[in-house]
């Protein structure tokens, strides 16, 4: 039959349907139903199990205790019919997207976490150890435990339109705990498994597309979606008859495995600095998978899963996931969406890189005319040319059709005359970060647009109330702050100025949603949320260097957070001139908390863009010119002292921001840091870390979140 089975009596964790319901009564149950069907070319029946939670594709199927018990019963029913094969598939557009994370987060004792791990292993392992061949017909989105179920089957087909394929657990602070760490490297090889489990997960949760999954060997065959089930069944028949024997890779368990583990360790060290327990457990389990002993490997996964589930880091990761999946979709304080005005044309003042990135995004998502203006034709042509070139790249990658590419190009145009905005409903400025310049731009635009046209600003730090103060209709001005790169960073800070009315604000949120951004309502306060906190954080690091702390010590001091990049590397990415400008703005607003480094002024004046330089081997050293121009004090700090100072400054600033009403709640601060600064899920943004480390109470006298929120219940 082409399948390798292991003779072992499967012991499913003793959990009845009633016990499973009592374990997690609020579970959205994914019901598994078995039907016997006839397939041409197969002697006997094929048992087809369909898993479906009863909702449409917007609520994908997940596995909690009741769902696993249902799947176990469906398998038993299928096996009892003595079929020629057993296949499992999902509801339209969705196979399954993994464990029900609410159930995982609901575990209050280690024993419960062990039960969740063991139950998943025992149920999925029925498919692995079946005496008849088992098939996963992966007809749509498949992630986490859903992919582990598919891997547990002997064979896999995949629909060519499956929307998302991934093992995202390490991104959340977890690891693939229902067989993924053991099965995947033994199917596709350890190096490719490292790509899926570690590299993609820690690269902002990158997904595989169907062609990539097939090329890696995760799927045996790829079928078009139109008649996907029929083709899958016919392919099943060919495998059962022995006409087709899917290829399996020869696995290098020696030097190749060593190299893969080393690569995984380098990725984990580079991305998490050892701060994510889930990633470290995944490393241990990858090494264990070399023996290809499922008894031992699954037992280790279960024990490790229990350890991680009962950790604060995992609870913070689940809190982050909930913020991104729920709070981001229902922004706190947003006006009724019925007040939003329709946007049929967009104007952009400026044609630089940021403006051009915005033009591309507006054209792709809104599919309405977008016109750029600037002070001379060369700049306008460059901006429009950038957008057209990016569309050509999308065409080359086959992400848009030739017809779609032509239509998108036709939507984007340029003009020197702001009269081109006369019929625009939404005009956003992206010019030099100077209040006077922006006031002048808005005054010019107001002469041409209707009284109801929204005027938006992409300012990162300036007062929007001041920007609007000289206009005839200041109520239609709103902050619309993107993060760079525009196409990738998911956060949009929507800023309500002093006069902004509800219709303008509702329109801004509606446009943000069309752009597929996660929007957070922010009060008009200096630098809003992300830039304010990053400026305070980085300011403390730079201050410690000014006082005499070596660059290396100060820059490595924040490693325990596992941030995506160190403060001085972030400075290079942002641009020292931009960072200095924001620091000066913040110093003007809050001189007691935000300083301006004289060394940074000299750094920018000298035209330097980075503290660090790297040689051909990747060795990092301080640029000698930077070392020479920097004036050091005589009060160096230790790394621990720098770390404490930076975190205490963050705690103080967050408390002040909440007291000022910059955002509705601490959850919005965390959402901004997750989506706008790329801070890790296992930090929970930042406030859960400040709470569990005791810094919140030390600095502000109280926690930001209630005990048990983003932490293990006491």
């Amino acid at each position: 039959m082409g399948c390798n089975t292991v003779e072992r009596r499967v012991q499913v964790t003793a959990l009845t349907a009633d016990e499973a319901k009592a374990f997690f009564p609020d579970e959205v149950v994914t019901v598994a139903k078995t039907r016997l069907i006839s397939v041409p070319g197969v002697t006997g029946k094929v048992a087809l199990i369909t898993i479906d939670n009863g909702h449409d594709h917007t609520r994908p199927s997940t596995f909690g205790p009741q769902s696993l018990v249902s799947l176990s019963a469906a398998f038993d029913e299928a096996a009892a019919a003595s079929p020629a094969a057993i296949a499992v598939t999902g509801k339209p557009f969705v196979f399954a997207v993994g464990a029900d994370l609410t159930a995982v987060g609901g575990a209050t004792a280690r024993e419960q976490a062990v039960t969740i791990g063991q139950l998943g292993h025992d149920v999925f392992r029925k498919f692995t150890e079946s005496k008849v061949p088992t098939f996963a017909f992966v007809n749509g989105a498949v992630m986490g435990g859903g992919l582990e179920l598919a891997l547990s089957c002997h064979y896999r087909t995949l629909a060519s339109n499956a929307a998302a394929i991934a093992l995202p657990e390490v991104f959340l602070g977890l690891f693939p705990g229902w067989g993924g760490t053991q099965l995947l490297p033994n199917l596709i090889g350890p190096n490719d498994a490292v790509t899926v489990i570690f590299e993609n997960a820690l690269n902002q949760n990158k997904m595989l597309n169907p062609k990539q999954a097939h090329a890696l060997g995760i799927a045996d065959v790829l079928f078009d979606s139109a008649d996907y089930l029929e083709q899958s069944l016919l392919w099943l028949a060919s495998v059962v008859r022995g006409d087709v024997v899917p290829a399996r890779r020869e696995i290098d368990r020696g030097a190749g495995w060593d190299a893969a583990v080393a690569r995984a360790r380098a990725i984990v060290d580079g991305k998490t600095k050892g701060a994510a327990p889930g990633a470290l457990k995944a490393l241990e389990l990858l090494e264990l998978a070399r023996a290809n002993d499922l008894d031992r490997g699954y037992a280790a996964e279960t024990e490790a899963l229990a350890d991680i589930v009962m950790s604060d880091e995992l609870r913070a990761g689940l809190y982050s996931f909930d913020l991104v999946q729920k709070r981001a979709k229902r922004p706190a304080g947003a006006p009724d969406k019925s007040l939003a005005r329709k946007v049929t044309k967009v104007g952009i003042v400026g044609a630089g890189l940021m403006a051009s990135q915005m033009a591309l995004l507006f054209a792709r998502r809104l599919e309405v005319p977008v016109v750029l203006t600037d002070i001379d034709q060369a700049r306008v042509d460059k901006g429009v040319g950038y957008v057209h070139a990016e569309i050509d790249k999308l065409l080359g990658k086959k992400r848009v059709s030739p017809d779609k590419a032509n239509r998108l190009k036709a939507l984007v145009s340029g003009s020197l005359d702001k009269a081109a905005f006369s019929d625009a409903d939404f005009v956003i400025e992206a010019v030099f970060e100077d209040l006077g310049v922006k006031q002048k731009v808005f005054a010019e635009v107001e002469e041409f647009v209707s009284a109801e046209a929204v005027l938006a600003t992409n300012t990162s730090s300036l007062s929007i109330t001041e920007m609007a103060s000289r206009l005839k209709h200041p109520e239609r001005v709103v902050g619309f702050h993107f993060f760079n790169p525009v196409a990738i960073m998911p956060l949009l800070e929507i800023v309500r100025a002093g006069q902004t009315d509800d219709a303008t604000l509702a329109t801004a949120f509606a446009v943000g949603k069309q752009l597929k951004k996660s929007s957070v309502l922010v009060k008009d306060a200096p630098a809003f949320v992300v830039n304010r906190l990053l400026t305070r954080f980085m300011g403390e690091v730079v201050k410690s260097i000014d006082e005499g702390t070596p660059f290396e010590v100060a820059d490595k001091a924040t490693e325990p957070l596992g941030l995506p990049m160190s403060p001085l590397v972030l400075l290079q990415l942002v641009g020292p001139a931009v960072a200095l400008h924001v620091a000066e703005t913040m110093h003007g607003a809050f001189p007691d908390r935000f300083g301006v480094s004289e060394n940074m002024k000299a750094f920018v004046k000298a035209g330097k863009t980075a503290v660090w330089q790297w040689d051909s081997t990747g060795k990092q050293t301080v640029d000698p010119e930077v070392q020479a121009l920097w004036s050091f004090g005589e009060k160096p700090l230790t790394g621990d002292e720098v770390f404490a100072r930076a975190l205490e400054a963050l705690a103080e600033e967050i408390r002040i921001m909440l007291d000022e009403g910059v955002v509705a709640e601490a959850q919005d601060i965390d959402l901004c840091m997750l989506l706008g600064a790329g801070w890790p899920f296992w930090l929970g943004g930042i406030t859960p870390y400040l709470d569990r480390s005791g810094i919140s109470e030390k600095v502000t006298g109280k926690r930001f979140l209630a005990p048990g929120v983003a932490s293990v219940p006491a």
Side-chain angles (χ1 to χ4, degrees), residues 88-90 94-96 136-142 146-147 150 156-162 165 219 228 232:
V88 59
T89 194
V94 176
F95 183 74
F137 295 163
V138 183
N139 62 306
V142 60
L147 184 52
R156 285 153 294 283
T157 71
L158 178 61
S160 61
N161 68 337
I165 305 162
Y228 170 73
S232 293

Short mmCIF file of all heavy atoms in Angstrom, two decimals, residues 88-90 94-96 136-142 146-147 150 156-162 165 219 228 232:
data_model
loop_
_atom_site.label_atom_id
_atom_site.label_comp_id
_atom_site.label_asym_id
_atom_site.label_seq_id
_atom_site.Cartn_x
_atom_site.Cartn_y
_atom_site.Cartn_z
N VAL A 88 -8.93 12.55 5.16
CA VAL A 88 -9.49 13.62 5.97
C VAL A 88 -9.36 14.93 5.21
O VAL A 88 -8.34 15.20 4.58
CB VAL A 88 -8.79 13.70 7.36
CG1 VAL A 88 -7.29 13.93 7.22
CG2 VAL A 88 -9.42 14.78 8.23
N THR A 89 -10.43 15.73 5.21
CA THR A 89 -10.42 17.01 4.53
C THR A 89 -11.20 18.02 5.36
O THR A 89 -11.80 17.67 6.38
CB THR A 89 -10.98 16.90 3.10
OG1 THR A 89 -10.66 18.08 2.36
CG2 THR A 89 -12.49 16.68 3.10
N GLY A 90 -11.17 19.29 4.92
CA GLY A 90 -11.80 20.35 5.69
C GLY A 90 -13.01 20.93 5.00
O GLY A 90 -13.45 20.47 3.94
N VAL A 94 -10.82 25.90 3.91
CA VAL A 94 -10.07 25.71 5.16
C VAL A 94 -9.91 24.22 5.46
O VAL A 94 -10.90 23.49 5.47
CB VAL A 94 -10.77 26.38 6.36
CG1 VAL A 94 -10.02 26.08 7.65
CG2 VAL A 94 -10.90 27.89 6.16
N PHE A 95 -8.67 23.80 5.70
CA PHE A 95 -8.44 22.46 6.23
C PHE A 95 -8.56 22.56 7.75
O PHE A 95 -9.57 22.18 8.33
CB PHE A 95 -7.07 21.94 5.79
CG PHE A 95 -6.78 20.53 6.23
CD1 PHE A 95 -7.40 19.46 5.61
CD2 PHE A 95 -5.89 20.28 7.26
CE1 PHE A 95 -7.15 18.15 6.02
CE2 PHE A 95 -5.62 18.97 7.68
CZ PHE A 95 -6.26 17.91 7.06
N ALA A 96 -7.59 23.13 8.41
CA ALA A 96 -7.66 23.44 9.85
C ALA A 96 -6.45 24.30 10.18
O ALA A 96 -5.39 24.17 9.55
CB ALA A 96 -7.65 22.18 10.70
N ALA A 136 -4.37 13.03 3.69
CA ALA A 136 -4.88 14.36 4.03
C ALA A 136 -5.14 15.10 2.73
O ALA A 136 -4.22 15.27 1.92
CB ALA A 136 -3.87 15.12 4.88
N PHE A 137 -6.39 15.48 2.52
CA PHE A 137 -6.75 16.31 1.37
C PHE A 137 -6.80 17.76 1.86
O PHE A 137 -7.82 18.22 2.36
CB PHE A 137 -8.11 15.89 0.80
CG PHE A 137 -8.15 14.50 0.21
CD1 PHE A 137 -9.37 13.88 -0.02
CD2 PHE A 137 -6.99 13.82 -0.13
CE1 PHE A 137 -9.43 12.60 -0.56
CE2 PHE A 137 -7.04 12.54 -0.68
CZ PHE A 137 -8.27 11.93 -0.89
N VAL A 138 -5.67 18.43 1.74
CA VAL A 138 -5.53 19.78 2.30
C VAL A 138 -6.13 20.77 1.31
O VAL A 138 -5.47 21.25 0.40
CB VAL A 138 -4.06 20.10 2.62
CG1 VAL A 138 -3.95 21.47 3.27
CG2 VAL A 138 -3.47 19.02 3.54
N ASN A 139 -7.40 21.05 1.53
CA ASN A 139 -8.19 21.80 0.56
C ASN A 139 -8.17 23.31 0.77
O ASN A 139 -8.79 24.05 0.01
CB ASN A 139 -9.66 21.34 0.63
CG ASN A 139 -10.25 21.60 2.00
OD1 ASN A 139 -9.70 21.18 3.02
ND2 ASN A 139 -11.37 22.30 2.05
N GLY A 140 -7.45 23.77 1.80
CA GLY A 140 -7.42 25.22 2.06
C GLY A 140 -6.41 25.55 3.12
O GLY A 140 -5.44 24.81 3.34
N ALA A 141 -6.62 26.66 3.81
CA ALA A 141 -5.67 27.14 4.81
C ALA A 141 -5.32 26.05 5.81
O ALA A 141 -6.19 25.34 6.31
CB ALA A 141 -6.27 28.35 5.55
N VAL A 142 -4.03 25.92 6.08
CA VAL A 142 -3.57 24.87 7.00
C VAL A 142 -2.38 25.40 7.78
O VAL A 142 -1.35 25.78 7.22
CB VAL A 142 -3.22 23.58 6.23
CG1 VAL A 142 -2.11 23.81 5.21
CG2 VAL A 142 -2.87 22.44 7.17
N GLY A 146 -3.29 21.89 12.37
CA GLY A 146 -3.90 21.41 11.13
C GLY A 146 -2.86 20.80 10.23
O GLY A 146 -3.07 19.72 9.65
N LEU A 147 -1.70 21.45 10.12
CA LEU A 147 -0.62 20.90 9.30
C LEU A 147 -0.05 19.65 9.96
O LEU A 147 0.33 18.69 9.28
CB LEU A 147 0.47 21.95 9.10
CG LEU A 147 1.63 21.56 8.18
CD1 LEU A 147 1.15 21.05 6.84
CD2 LEU A 147 2.59 22.74 8.00
N ALA A 150 -2.14 16.79 8.99
CA ALA A 150 -1.81 16.38 7.62
C ALA A 150 -0.50 15.60 7.58
O ALA A 150 -0.39 14.58 6.88
CB ALA A 150 -1.73 17.61 6.72
N ARG A 156 -0.36 13.24 1.26
CA ARG A 156 -1.01 14.54 1.29
C ARG A 156 -1.20 15.10 -0.12
O ARG A 156 -0.25 15.14 -0.91
CB ARG A 156 -0.15 15.56 2.08
CG ARG A 156 -0.18 15.37 3.57
CD ARG A 156 1.10 15.86 4.24
NE ARG A 156 2.25 15.06 3.84
CZ ARG A 156 2.52 13.83 4.33
NH1 ARG A 156 1.75 13.30 5.25
NH2 ARG A 156 3.56 13.14 3.88
N THR A 157 -2.43 15.54 -0.41
CA THR A 157 -2.66 16.35 -1.60
C THR A 157 -2.93 17.77 -1.12
O THR A 157 -3.34 17.99 0.03
CB THR A 157 -3.85 15.85 -2.44
OG1 THR A 157 -5.08 16.13 -1.75
CG2 THR A 157 -3.74 14.35 -2.71
N LEU A 158 -2.72 18.74 -2.00
CA LEU A 158 -2.86 20.15 -1.61
C LEU A 158 -3.55 20.93 -2.72
O LEU A 158 -3.21 20.77 -3.90
CB LEU A 158 -1.47 20.74 -1.34
CG LEU A 158 -1.37 22.21 -0.96
CD1 LEU A 158 -2.13 22.51 0.34
CD2 LEU A 158 0.10 22.63 -0.82
N ALA A 159 -4.52 21.76 -2.33
CA ALA A 159 -5.22 22.61 -3.30
C ALA A 159 -4.35 23.79 -3.70
O ALA A 159 -3.69 24.40 -2.86
CB ALA A 159 -6.54 23.10 -2.71
N SER A 160 -4.36 24.11 -4.97
CA SER A 160 -3.49 25.17 -5.49
C SER A 160 -3.88 26.56 -5.01
O SER A 160 -3.11 27.51 -5.16
CB SER A 160 -3.50 25.15 -7.03
OG SER A 160 -4.82 25.39 -7.50
N ASN A 161 -5.09 26.68 -4.41
CA ASN A 161 -5.51 27.99 -3.91
C ASN A 161 -5.49 28.08 -2.38
O ASN A 161 -6.09 28.99 -1.80
CB ASN A 161 -6.91 28.33 -4.42
CG ASN A 161 -7.98 27.41 -3.82
OD1 ASN A 161 -7.68 26.30 -3.40
ND2 ASN A 161 -9.22 27.88 -3.80
N ALA A 162 -4.83 27.12 -1.73
CA ALA A 162 -4.76 27.16 -0.26
C ALA A 162 -4.13 28.49 0.16
O ALA A 162 -3.03 28.85 -0.28
CB ALA A 162 -3.94 25.99 0.27
N ILE A 165 -0.16 28.45 4.53
CA ILE A 165 0.43 27.18 4.95
C ILE A 165 1.62 27.50 5.85
O ILE A 165 2.55 28.19 5.43
CB ILE A 165 0.91 26.36 3.73
CG1 ILE A 165 -0.24 26.16 2.73
CG2 ILE A 165 1.49 25.02 4.17
CD1 ILE A 165 0.21 25.77 1.34
N ALA A 219 3.61 18.48 0.57
CA ALA A 219 2.51 17.84 -0.16
C ALA A 219 3.09 16.94 -1.24
O ALA A 219 4.10 17.27 -1.87
CB ALA A 219 1.61 18.90 -0.79
N TYR A 228 -10.84 19.81 -7.06
CA TYR A 228 -9.79 19.33 -6.16
C TYR A 228 -10.13 18.00 -5.51
O TYR A 228 -9.32 17.06 -5.50
CB TYR A 228 -9.50 20.38 -5.08
CG TYR A 228 -8.60 19.85 -3.99
CD1 TYR A 228 -7.24 19.66 -4.21
CD2 TYR A 228 -9.11 19.50 -2.74
CE1 TYR A 228 -6.41 19.15 -3.22
CE2 TYR A 228 -8.29 19.00 -1.75
CZ TYR A 228 -6.95 18.82 -2.00
OH TYR A 228 -6.14 18.30 -1.03
N SER A 232 -8.21 14.46 -6.05
CA SER A 232 -7.56 13.85 -4.89
C SER A 232 -7.99 12.40 -4.71
O SER A 232 -7.17 11.52 -4.40
CB SER A 232 -7.87 14.66 -3.63
OG SER A 232 -7.26 15.93 -3.68
#
